[in-house]
């Protein structure tokens, strides 16, 4: 059951050009099999154990950046907090207009269903963005 959940998005990751790896027990071994020489850099979107696993498979353990776990800093890595950046957002919008950036939408929900959107977000397995629509009937 657990395996089905964590592999649900593997085909999607492959379509994007990535090589999916099942997370959970044995993750370090699976990554080492995929990258025997070590990994150049790790971006962490989960936190906790993921930071420790990243440090074990990196060529240089400090090359892990987490957007979730401030403890990454104590472990010699980096923590990144995204701030509103109009210039950066404009650049991203231009790339989207040019068809060079696509944003996958998991689903759009009316604002009245914001609580459901929050539940889906907190579940931690959305595939892409959740959109709240305002003023549509
Ligand atoms: N620091 C900042 O500025 C900042 C900004 C935005 C978000 N965040 C935080 O960053 C986190 C991620 O946000 P998000 O919007 O990307 O969340 P999300 O849309 O819910 O995506 C979470 C992803 O993590 C995967 N995942 C879940 N458990 C995992 C595990 N144990 N190991 C590896 N992958 C796992 C899920 O894949 P599967 O469904 O295939 O399991 C899913 O693709 C949240 O905690 C959010 O609060 C921080």
């Amino acid at each position: 059951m657990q395996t089905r959940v964590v592999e649900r998005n593997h085909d999607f990751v492959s379509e994007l050009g990535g090589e999916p790896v099942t997370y959970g027990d044995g993750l370090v071994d699976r990554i080492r099999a995929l990258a025997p020489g070590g990994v150049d850099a790790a971006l962490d979107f989960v936190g906790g154990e993921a930071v420790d696993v990243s440090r074990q498979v990196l060529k240089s353990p400090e090359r892990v950046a987490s957007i979730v776990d401030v403890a990454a800093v104590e472990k010699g890595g980096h923590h990144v907090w995204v701030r509103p950046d109009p210039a950066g957002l404009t650049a991203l919008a231009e790339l989207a207009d040019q068809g060079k950036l696509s944003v996958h939408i998991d689903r759009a929900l009316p604002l009245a269903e914001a609580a459901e959107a929050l539940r889906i977000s907190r579940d931690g397995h959305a595939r892409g963005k959740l959109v709240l629509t305002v003023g549509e009937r």
Side-chain angles (χ1 to χ4, degrees):
M1 188 66 173
Q2 170 81 351
T3 302
R4 274 218 321 264
V5 172
V6 298
E7 294 182 347
R8 190 177 59 98
N9 290 317
H10 278 197
D11 289 347
F12 181 62
V13 172
S14 297
E15 282 169 25
L16 297 174
E19 294 191 64
V21 180
T22 302
Y23 54 76
D25 288 347
L27 177 57
V28 169
D29 293 337
R30 286 190 288 279
I31 295 176
R32 285 190 177 140
L34 199 60
V39 171
D40 292 323
L43 303 176
D44 168 47
F45 302 93
V46 178
E49 198 179 38
V51 175
D52 300 323
V53 167
S54 298
R55 288 174 49 77
Q56 290 178 58
V57 298
L58 283 162
K59 291 177 189 166
S60 305
E62 74 279 6
R63 286 181 63 84
V64 54
S66 177
I67 65 166
V68 182
D69 199 342
V70 290
V73 176
E74 293 161 18
K75 296 174 181 175
H78 306 269
H79 178 251
V80 178
W81 187 257
V82 180
R83 294 182 177 81
D85 175 4
L89 286 172
T90 300
L92 290 175
E94 286 170 1
L95 289 174
D97 286 344
Q98 295 162 17
K100 295 177 180 171
L101 171 70
S102 63
V103 179
H104 188 85
I105 307 294
D106 182 292
R107 73 195 83 173
L109 298 165
L111 183 59
E113 292 181 32
E116 172 64 3
L118 187 60
R119 188 197 62 72
I120 296 167
S121 174
R122 283 196 172 149
D123 191 42
H125 297 287
R127 182 189 292 182
K129 293 296 175 188
L130 297 164
V131 175
L132 289 178
T133 54
V134 181
E136 289 182 14
R137 289 173 188 272

